[in-house]
Amino acid sequence: MILGADSLEKESPALLTTCGGIEFRNPVLTASGTFGYGQEFDALISLRGLGGLVTKGISPEPRFGNPPPRICETAAGMLNSIGLENVGVEAFAREKLPFLRSCGTRVLVNFFGTTFDEYVDCGARLAALDGVDGLEMNVSCPNIQAGGIEFGRDPLVLGGLVKACRAVVRKPLWVKLTPNTSDIVALARACADNGADAVSIINTITGMAIDVRTRRPKIATVFGGLSGPAIKPVALRMVYQVYRAQIPIAICGIGGIQDGNDAIEFLLAGASCVQVGTQSFIDPASAERIIREIEEYCRAQGVTDVRELVGGLALGQ
Amino acid sequence: MILGADSLEKESPALLTTCGGIEFRNPVLTASGTFGYGQEFDALISLRGLGGLVTKGISPEPRFGNPPPRICETAAGMLNSIGLENVGVEAFAREKLPFLRSCGTRVLVNFFGTTFDEYVDCGARLAALDGVDGLEMNVSCPNIQAGGIEFGRDPLVLGGLVKACRAVVRKPLWVKLTPNTSDIVALARACADNGADAVSIINTITGMAIDVRTRRPKIATVFGGLSGPAIKPVALRMVYQVYRAQIPIAICGIGGIQDGNDAIEFLLAGASCVQVGTQSFIDPASAERIIREIEEYCRAQGVTDVRELVGGLALGQ
Amino acid sequence: MRYFDARVIENRSLGGGYFVLRLGGCEPLAGSRPGQFIMLRGDWGRDPLLPRPLSLLSVAHEGRADLLAKVVGKGTALMERSPPGSRVSVLGPLGNSFPAPSADVTDLLVAGGVGLPPLFMQAESAAHLGLANGSEMLYGGRTSRDLVLLGEIRGFGIALRLATEDGSLGRRGRVTDELEARLDRGRAAASAQPLRIMACGPRQMLWAVGRIAQSHGIDCYLSLEEQMACGIGVCLGCAVAAQTRPYRYVCKDGPVFPASEVMAHVSVASTSQSRGGAQ
Amino acid sequence: MRYFDARVIENRSLGGGYFVLRLGGCEPLAGSRPGQFIMLRGDWGRDPLLPRPLSLLSVAHEGRADLLAKVVGKGTALMERSPPGSRVSVLGPLGNSFPAPSADVTDLLVAGGVGLPPLFMQAESAAHLGLANGSEMLYGGRTSRDLVLLGEIRGFGIALRLATEDGSLGRRGRVTDELEARLDRGRAAASAQPLRIMACGPRQMLWAVGRIAQSHGIDCYLSLEEQMACGIGVCLGCAVAAQTRPYRYVCKDGPVFPASEVMAHVSVASTSQSRGGAQ
Ligand SMILES: Cc1cc2nc3c(=O)[nH]c(=O)nc-3n(C[C@H](O)[C@H](O)[C@H](O)COP(=O)(O)OP(=O)(O)OC[C@H]3O[C@@H](n4cnc5c(N)ncnc54)[C@H](O)[C@@H]3O)c2cc1C
Ligand SMILES: Cc1cc2nc3c(=O)[nH]c(=O)nc-3n(C[C@H](O)[C@H](O)[C@H](O)COP(=O)(O)OP(=O)(O)OC[C@H]3O[C@@H](n4cnc5c(N)ncnc54)[C@H](O)[C@@H]3O)c2cc1C
Ligand SMILES: Cc1cc2nc3c(=O)[nH]c(=O)nc-3n(C[C@H](O)[C@H](O)[C@H](O)COP(=O)(O)O)c2cc1C
Ligand SMILES: Cc1cc2nc3c(=O)[nH]c(=O)nc-3n(C[C@H](O)[C@H](O)[C@H](O)COP(=O)(O)O)c2cc1C
Ligand code: FES
Ligand code: FES
């Protein structure tokens, strides 16, 4: 179950892929908020074996996050309400980036703001940093200037935000969509129309749990984000909806991926690459295992280039 | 684990409750599509011990449903795409209702149409039938006159539909909301504003799964509805959002309920009663067990009237 | 049909992933007929979530019931590891059965791999009725490891012909080759008794058996499998395309169907249509 | 810190839901210190999903590690039923530890119920260092069934005082009553050695111990628990309110904290605020 790290060190040409303007050694990245700033996993897996990693979401200033309890387990999933805690751009550049620069894999920096200007400011500063291969905008944040409604919920607001960030970000710009929507396609279109390079689908689904003994919410902020295997069917559906709509934008699939087969489902549904989130808590070496399992699948199915799988869902007779 | 049926025959006054204009022996109903037309469970549990049951969705004419495969299992959940197969109003009245009339529990009939007129027609005919205690409108159906978009997704369309049905239905009228929305509160408000007696929250969440060996969707229609414990955090969140918004309408909570504690979470979040769906497949006697577990909880917590629990979520210090 | 708790009293591995689970406390299954099945669930939390359909292999006195299963995924893997004493919940007996053995017909029982149980039970029932010489079993698998319980089958006193794809036991080839050979021999011998075919196994094998029966004009019964959630006709998940109406349900109309009823729609049954996914 | 597969080599029930799990193959845990913990997960599918944090009870030669746990939910129930031979995955050793025993201080080890393991290991370590007479353990539980491994603790040669709420063993009352009594006696005797308190147990007990220590001006270390997902500081789930900055993390800043650092914010730590749930 647990892998020797070196087996993945040698590059496997069949797994090389491209997504949203970035070339990856293989289609498996680790998801924002579940892989720290990379260094924490250095002792556990071979970072250079990864397709890439996405950092915890960064904001212009440091943030301390929400009061505890912040997480709880649910059926095949978990809720979190960390509160976007992070070290801020400055400390990130100073303390976290040097390690990331030398870790041998692609680095995407997830970022956000609480106002339009904060997004633009943060995006511009991060894009200017050496060692950052691309940015992923987390738009599931409350817009404090608009009554706390998430930026990413309204295609118009989202489009404007993407456009403004695009203007200052010369590096690949991905947008991570919220699943708390009735129309994921409209959100993806707003990103494509405004120059984003890829959409990451999906962020967590808003959920809730109650401790019946105390009658209190299980997480202090009442609502939290649901992640893990429970959400995979929803994530996969949204990836496929966007792919099927033929929007000219690459897709990175996220949600409940536990093994190679799960990852391949996302590729078949139309994702060019995937991110592994909660599974890194369950099995810290899983990203490595998943890469090997994809490789085995390709070998067994006679797939010589993993990109052949993208959108390869078989329909009809 | 499996109960002697009679233990529930005697009425337990502490569990009596009211929801959407109907009085129930206890707050546990069985959900549409997971309990057939009641008779199938007669040999397995005491139907008169139930709070009530909701029938499979009925349409004006019989429907044959979707091609197989129609279901598949997912992490802590399942997808279904039955295709709203049912016997139609006529056969329902003739073949199914006589049993239901005598089964000793409340009977809600779930119904739908594919056009505005079908809904109104079906609602009127069902409401006229003796033995029907109330109606539950399933609005997660494609509107064939509006390009296949679900009736229940747009608050305006939904409001109009509820109003039209309300005009012909003199019995309690509940509306079952779709979770595939970014604003469950707006949907609930549209129902309240147009005279519905209760909202049932939630129907299944649209999802998808792929068989990686064959590269085909695991269910023939590609998309299906996700149900089971996986969706409970989302369902609970939506119930609480609607409750918190103080919309003057009763709530029936549905989604992933497996045991008494799950049911109580929904009550605390603001539901007056709950429905047990997928769990009846996992454990056909579960509704009975859940009633007993609620009773035990009330006893242990000194709750003399189950209605005290409704909306009893503890917030703040 | 009842829903009850039972207990594993023996769990015998047969190699190759096959195992026989002997349950105690299955009094409600008394009188079950060959072809009927149960929905079985162990005490394993939410993974997997749904109970698993398993055909009855044999039902004996004092609440004993035997099942034969093969490890193909999580549920069967957990069953295979259940030690004696494990609690399981059982819903059954469910579904219909094969026609009873009769002195007027010769039954060809065609089993493919783990499709054996209903035909094993049918053979057992023929033996009990003293009709063993009116039944023949044709049993095929990929290798000799897929042919199990041969001693027990022989013990019923029925004729048994084996086929393996790799030739490691019996005829090299498919069980349908064996079936065609048997029918050709039968035609040559112009046997007096009319024939009946009963089959259970992989979908492709069943359609092949159905076609062979059709082309020989022989009555044929197929025991089908489909994904199931409830086992009692309420979820409508186990639909199969059929002749008489658009769909029939494996759990309540089957699992045994006259081949003529389900064969005509074979192609429909495997059609994938891209429509909305309303329930 | 390493991530590796281990194996249950013994699973000893102590009654009352308590059990000692002995793992083999834990060479990477060699050198772990009292207070450190591991994230443990069995081979049980997706239910429960996350690994469970458990303190180390004892780490011996040849890759042996002992854990003491109590059944409170699904994860611990599955552990309790794991037979020898079961595979588990282990991430550890994690977190910080109690200060090492020293010849210059007397350590009062205050354990409540299943909070015993880190203090047991601390006592073991004191014994190994020949400092057993500089440690005293105060160990409380609801009934005598909650006080386990007493023979082993006595074997370390440290003083042991017990308390149960129902009076079934040792003093009737809480372990904090025992602690106050000990401190009063100490004051009366005006003992030369300075005291240090180390405690692990239920949250309410820890705050009470912290307050007592504060009022006596004694150094105090508390081992905290919080819901955990990762155990290595990346999920930021295990936050506790603290003095020095808004939050500290049980898994990487703890689990052992100077009481002064976490006490001031006790009320903040239990505040529920109704805000949006962004990560
Ligand atoms: C009426 C009936 C009687 C059956 N009798 C027996 C029996 O006596 N012995 C026996 O071993 N099996 C029998 N089966 C099949 C058995 O139910 C499945 O093998 C089992 O449900 C698989 O569960 P799993 O968790 O091990 O595999 P899963 O993890 O659910 O699936 C593993 C793989 O098997 C496939 N699969 C799962 N279920 C089925 C199915 N029902 N049909 C075809 N492919 C499937 C999946 O697509 C997947 O590829 C019967 C099925 C039916 C419907
Ligand atoms: C650093 C650390 C060290 C620990 N060391 C030990 C140990 O040595 N031995 C031991 O038995 N336990 C220890 N625990 C507690 C142990 O992790 C929990 O009892 C366990 O995770 C419960 O899992 P479960 O699946 O059995 O219960 P669940 O089903 O997850 O929960 C059952 C009940 O316990 C509550 N609960 C769950 N986890 C915790 C928790 N972490 N703290 C408080 N309440 C909780 C839940 O809210 C629920 O009411 C430790 C916890 C931490 C954080
Ligand atoms: C504890 C935790 C923290 C997260 N933090 C972030 C974050 O800072 N920014 C972000 O865009 N997504 C964040 N996510 C969302 C994940 O990156 C991912 O989209 C989600 O968890 C679904 O994938 P999974 O099911 O594989 O976990 C977080 C998720 C978890 C569980
Ligand atoms: C097989 C199946 C069929 C269903 N059919 C209907 C239906 O006809 N009408 C309806 O309103 N809901 C239908 N539902 C939705 C359920 O009533 C319920 O809202 C949903 O399953 C969530 O609850 P659960 O998680 O407890 O199953 C169906 C669900 C399942 C699993
Ligand atoms: S399995 Fe539910 S209808 Fe057949
Ligand atoms: S458990 Fe993840 S940060 Fe502590």
Side-chain angles (χ1 to χ4, degrees):
Chain A
M1 212 203 261
I2 298 157
L3 261 186
D6 6 41
S7 66
L8 287 152
E9 300 265 341
K10 56 176 176 332
E11 293 199 351
S12 171
L15 297 188
L16 261 183
T17 194
T18 306
C19 181
I22 309 179
E23 199 174 69
F24 296 101
R25 185 178 293 129
N26 63 60
V28 180
L29 287 69
T30 52
S32 178
T34 63
F35 209 71
Y37 301 100
Q39 192 149 18
E40 295 87 342
F41 281 84
D42 196 30
L44 299 172
I45 65 171
S46 156
L47 297 177
R48 38 181 2 103
L50 295 178
L53 64 82
V54 185
T55 67
K56 177 75 192 157
I58 304 287
S59 54
E61 299 300 320
R63 289 172 60 103
F64 295 121
N66 289 335
R70 292 179 170 187
I71 57 173
C72 76
E73 194 171 304
T74 65
M78 62 177 281
L79 290 169
N80 88 78
S81 173
I82 306 303
L84 294 161
E85 169 163 351
N86 76 96
V87 298
V89 177
E90 287 311 322
F92 170 74
R94 205 172 51 239
E95 294 162 20
K96 309 295 180 183
L97 199 53
F99 171 81
L100 289 172
R101 225 177 257 131
S102 66
C103 76
T105 193
R106 294 294 188 195
V107 175
L108 278 92
V109 180
N110 183 282
F111 76 102
F112 68 97
T114 56
T115 64
F116 222 83
D117 291 347
E118 271 188 33
Y119 267 100
V120 174
D121 171 40
C122 196
R125 284 158 74 189
L126 287 168
L129 296 171
D130 197 38
V132 172
D133 294 305
L135 299 188
E136 181 182 63
M137 283 175 72
N138 175 1
V139 294
S140 302
C141 300
N143 180 346
I144 55 171
Q145 290 164 333
I149 292 179
E150 287 174 9
F151 285 96
R153 247 186 224 190
D154 179 333
L156 273 177
V157 176
L158 177 61
L161 189 64
V162 171
K163 186 173 203 156
C165 288
R166 173 76 291 174
V168 298
V169 173
R170 295 284 151 74
K171 287 186 177 163
L173 179 64
W174 297 16
V175 183
K176 187 161 176 182
L177 302 184
T178 173
N180 300 306
T181 176
S182 54
D183 193 350
I184 194 79
V185 173
L187 298 181
R189 192 167 281 130
C191 296
D193 288 350
N194 289 285
D197 296 293
V199 280
S200 299
I201 301 175
I202 58 175
N203 212 318
T204 54
I205 306 180
T206 307
M208 170 176 173
I210 300 174
D211 180 331
V212 297
R213 209 178 39 79
T214 61
R215 304 189 192 175
R216 293 185 169 282
K218 282 198 180 172
I219 50 181
T221 55
V222 184
F223 298 138
L226 183 64
S227 65
I231 69 170
K232 197 189 77 176
V234 179
L236 198 65
R237 180 258 295 182
M238 291 187 165
V239 165
Y240 181 62
Q241 284 179 316
V242 170
Y243 181 79
R244 192 179 59 164
Q246 301 190 303
I247 295 166
I249 195 163
I251 302 168
C252 174
I254 319 172
I257 294 174
Q258 296 203 285
D259 60 27
N261 283 349
D262 293 336
I264 287 158
E265 284 188 74
F266 278 93
L267 301 180
L268 292 171
S272 297
C273 69
V274 299
Q275 292 177 27
V276 175
T278 302
Q279 183 63 22
S280 289
F281 304 151
I282 302 165
D283 165 5
S286 54
E288 256 181 4
R289 175 177 46 78
I290 291 168
I291 294 164
R292 196 195 45 194
E293 287 166 353
I294 294 174
E295 209 162 14
E296 281 162 14
Y297 173 90
C298 288
R299 208 170 294 126
Q301 292 245 333
V303 173
T304 55
D305 183 337
V306 75
R307 288 169 295 191
E308 290 169 29
L309 294 174
V310 177
L313 180 69
L315 294 170
Q317 276 288 51
Chain B
M1 213 204 262
I2 297 157
L3 261 187
D6 7 39
S7 67
L8 288 153
E9 299 263 342
K10 55 176 178 331
E11 293 201 350
S12 171
L15 297 188
L16 262 184
T17 193
T18 305
C19 181
I22 308 179
E23 199 174 69
F24 297 100
R25 185 177 293 129
N26 63 60
V28 180
L29 288 69
T30 53
S32 178
T34 63
F35 209 70
Y37 300 100
Q39 191 149 19
E40 296 87 342
F41 281 84
D42 196 31
L44 299 172
I45 64 171
S46 155
L47 295 177
R48 38 179 5 100
L50 295 178
L53 65 81
V54 186
T55 68
K56 177 74 192 158
I58 304 288
S59 54
E61 297 301 320
R63 289 172 60 101
F64 295 122
N66 289 335
R70 291 178 171 188
I71 57 173
C72 76
E73 193 171 305
T74 65
M78 63 177 281
L79 290 170
N80 88 78
S81 173
I82 306 302
L84 294 163
E85 169 163 352
N86 76 95
V87 297
V89 176
E90 288 311 323
F92 170 74
R94 203 172 54 239
E95 294 162 20
K96 308 296 179 184
L97 199 54
F99 172 82
L100 288 172
R101 225 178 256 130
S102 67
C103 76
T105 193
R106 294 294 188 195
V107 174
L108 277 94
V109 180
N110 183 282
F111 76 102
F112 68 95
T114 57
T115 64
F116 222 83
D117 292 345
E118 272 188 34
Y119 266 100
V120 173
D121 172 39
C122 197
R125 285 158 75 189
L126 287 168
L129 296 172
D130 197 39
V132 172
D133 294 305
L135 299 188
E136 181 181 64
M137 285 175 72
N138 175 0
V139 294
S140 302
C141 300
N143 181 346
I144 56 171
Q145 290 165 333
I149 291 180
E150 288 174 8
F151 284 96
R153 247 187 225 189
D154 180 332
L156 273 177
V157 176
L158 177 61
L161 189 64
V162 171
K163 186 175 204 152
C165 289
R166 173 76 292 176
V168 298
V169 172
R170 295 282 151 73
K171 287 187 176 162
L173 179 64
W174 298 15
V175 184
K176 186 160 175 183
L177 302 184
T178 172
N180 300 306
T181 175
S182 55
D183 193 351
I184 194 79
V185 172
L187 298 181
R189 191 166 283 130
C191 296
D193 288 349
N194 290 284
D197 296 293
V199 281
S200 300
I201 301 175
I202 59 175
N203 212 317
T204 54
I205 307 180
T206 307
M208 171 177 173
I210 300 174
D211 180 330
V212 297
R213 209 178 39 78
T214 62
R215 303 190 194 176
R216 293 185 169 280
K218 283 198 179 172
I219 50 181
T221 55
V222 184
F223 299 138
L226 183 63
S227 64
I231 69 170
K232 197 189 78 176
V234 179
L236 198 66
R237 180 259 295 183
M238 290 187 166
V239 166
Y240 181 61
Q241 283 180 316
V242 170
Y243 181 78
R244 192 179 59 165
Q246 301 190 303
I247 296 166
I249 195 163
I251 303 168
C252 174
I254 319 172
I257 294 175
Q258 297 203 285
D259 60 27
N261 284 349
D262 292 336
I264 287 158
E265 284 189 74
F266 278 94
L267 301 181
L268 293 171
S272 297
C273 69
V274 300
Q275 292 177 26
V276 175
T278 302
Q279 183 64 22
S280 290
F281 304 152
I282 302 166
D283 165 4
S286 54
E288 257 182 3
R289 175 177 46 77
I290 291 169
I291 294 164
R292 196 195 46 193
E293 287 166 353
I294 294 175
E295 209 162 15
E296 281 162 14
Y297 174 90
C298 288
R299 206 169 296 127
Q301 291 245 335
V303 173
T304 55
D305 182 336
V306 75
R307 289 170 294 191
E308 290 168 29
L309 294 174
V310 177
L313 181 69
L315 292 171
Q317 276 289 52
Chain C
M1 181 253 297
R2 290 266 307 283
Y3 179 55
F4 57 95
D5 271 359
R7 193 171 289 278
V8 174
I9 54 180
E10 197 188 307
N11 188 347
R12 184 157 58 105
S13 171
L14 306 179
Y18 293 86
F19 58 100
V20 173
L21 215 55
R22 171 159 292 176
L23 305 182
C26 291
E27 284 77 4
L29 298 181
S32 300
R33 297 181 311 278
Q36 290 193 291
F37 67 100
I38 62 173
M39 296 294 279
L40 183 81
R41 200 168 186 284
D43 200 9
W44 53 56
R46 295 184 188 115
D47 189 19
L49 190 67
L50 298 168
R52 296 298 191 243
L54 289 177
S55 300
L56 293 166
L57 178 72
S58 179
V59 170
H61 307 289
E62 289 154 4
R64 249 177 46 202
D66 287 352
L67 309 166
L68 167 67
K70 186 183 174 184
V71 177
V72 301
K74 279 192 180 182
T76 46
L78 285 164
M79 289 175 202
E80 196 242 356
R81 285 193 265 148
S82 308
S86 313
R87 297 174 124 251
V88 293
S89 50
V90 175
L91 178 66
L94 302 170
N96 66 1
S97 55
F98 285 117
S102 142
D104 306 326
V105 262
T106 295
D107 288 333
L108 303 181
L109 313 180
V110 186
V114 76
L116 178 67
L119 301 162
F120 181 99
M121 193 163 166
Q122 180 78 1
E124 188 186 38
S125 145
H128 283 177
L129 295 168
L131 297 170
N133 57 2
S135 288
E136 301 171 26
M137 186 181 288
L138 316 179
Y139 181 16
R142 289 213 297 145
T143 77
S144 61
R145 291 170 68 84
D146 295 296
L147 302 181
V148 298
L149 302 175
L150 300 180
E152 285 86 342
I153 300 170
R154 292 209 173 90
F156 298 141
I158 67 166
L160 173 63
R161 288 211 179 70
L162 306 175
T164 52
E165 288 178 40
D166 67 352
S168 53
L169 191 61
R171 170 192 285 262
R172 170 183 230 108
R174 298 170 186 269
V175 70
T176 44
D177 302 335
E178 189 60 43
L179 175 64
E180 303 219 64
R182 167 63 183 81
L183 295 177
D184 291 344
R185 270 201 313 280
R187 198 151 36 200
S191 89
Q193 286 272 66
L195 294 175
R196 232 171 21 182
I197 296 176
M198 305 181 188
C200 184
R203 202 51 83 96
Q204 292 316 313
M205 175 199 114
L206 293 182
W207 299 151
V209 169
R211 275 191 299 269
I212 294 168
Q214 227 156 23
S215 72
H216 286 77
I218 300 175
D219 263 11
C220 178
Y221 298 85
L222 305 177
S223 177
L224 301 186
E225 294 188 4
E226 191 46 80
Q227 297 294 328
M228 291 189 173
C230 72
I232 57 171
V234 304
C235 76
L236 306 181
C238 63
V240 289
Q243 185 105 53
T244 47
R245 2 174 289 182
Y247 300 109
R248 308 279 285 169
Y249 298 91
V250 172
C251 73
K252 64 171 186 187
D253 303 320
V256 177
F257 295 92
S260 57
E261 191 172 320
V262 287
M263 286 293 298
H265 286 254
V266 169
S267 57
V268 177
S270 58
T271 306
S272 282
Q273 293 177 30
S274 180
R275 306 202 212 144
Q279 296 118 348
Chain D
M1 182 251 297
R2 288 266 307 282
Y3 179 55
F4 57 95
D5 271 359
R7 192 170 290 276
V8 174
I9 54 180
E10 198 188 308
N11 188 346
R12 183 157 58 105
S13 169
L14 305 180
Y18 292 85
F19 58 100
V20 172
L21 214 55
R22 172 160 292 176
L23 304 182
C26 291
E27 285 77 5
L29 298 182
S32 301
R33 297 180 312 276
Q36 290 194 290
F37 67 100
I38 61 173
M39 296 294 280
L40 183 81
R41 199 167 186 284
D43 200 7
W44 54 55
R46 294 184 188 115
D47 189 19
L49 190 67
L50 298 168
R52 297 298 192 242
L54 289 177
S55 300
L56 292 166
L57 178 73
S58 178
V59 171
H61 306 290
E62 289 154 5
R64 250 177 44 202
D66 287 352
L67 309 166
L68 167 68
K70 186 183 175 184
V71 176
V72 301
K74 279 193 179 181
T76 46
L78 285 164
M79 289 176 202
E80 196 241 358
R81 285 193 267 149
S82 309
S86 313
R87 296 175 124 248
V88 292
S89 50
V90 176
L91 178 65
L94 303 170
N96 67 2
S97 54
F98 285 117
S102 141
D104 306 326
V105 262
T106 295
D107 287 333
L108 302 182
L109 312 180
V110 186
V114 77
L116 178 67
L119 301 162
F120 182 99
M121 194 164 165
Q122 181 78 1
E124 188 185 39
S125 146
H128 282 177
L129 294 167
L131 297 170
N133 57 2
S135 289
E136 302 171 27
M137 187 182 288
L138 316 179
Y139 180 16
R142 290 213 295 144
T143 77
S144 61
R145 290 169 68 83
D146 293 297
L147 302 180
V148 298
L149 302 176
L150 300 180
E152 286 85 342
I153 299 170
R154 293 208 173 90
F156 298 142
I158 66 166
L160 174 63
R161 289 212 179 71
L162 306 176
T164 52
E165 288 177 39
D166 68 351
S168 52
L169 192 61
R171 168 192 286 262
R172 170 181 230 109
R174 297 171 185 270
V175 70
T176 43
D177 303 334
E178 189 60 44
L179 176 62
E180 303 218 65
R182 166 65 182 81
L183 295 179
D184 291 343
R185 273 200 313 279
R187 197 151 37 200
S191 90
Q193 284 274 69
L195 295 174
R196 235 174 15 185
I197 296 176
M198 305 180 190
C200 184
R203 199 57 80 96
Q204 294 314 316
M205 174 199 116
L206 293 182
W207 299 153
V209 169
R211 275 190 300 268
I212 295 168
Q214 227 158 23
S215 72
H216 287 76
I218 300 175
D219 263 9
C220 178
Y221 298 85
L222 306 177
S223 178
L224 301 187
E225 294 188 3
E226 191 44 80
Q227 297 293 329
M228 291 188 172
C230 71
I232 57 172
V234 304
C235 76
L236 307 181
C238 63
V240 289
Q243 184 106 53
T244 47
R245 359 174 293 179
Y247 301 110
R248 307 280 284 170
Y249 298 92
V250 171
C251 74
K252 64 173 186 183
D253 303 321
V256 177
F257 295 92
S260 56
E261 191 173 319
V262 286
M263 287 293 297
H265 286 254
V266 169
S267 57
V268 177
S270 59
T271 305
S272 280
Q273 293 177 29
S274 179
R275 305 202 213 148
Q279 298 117 347

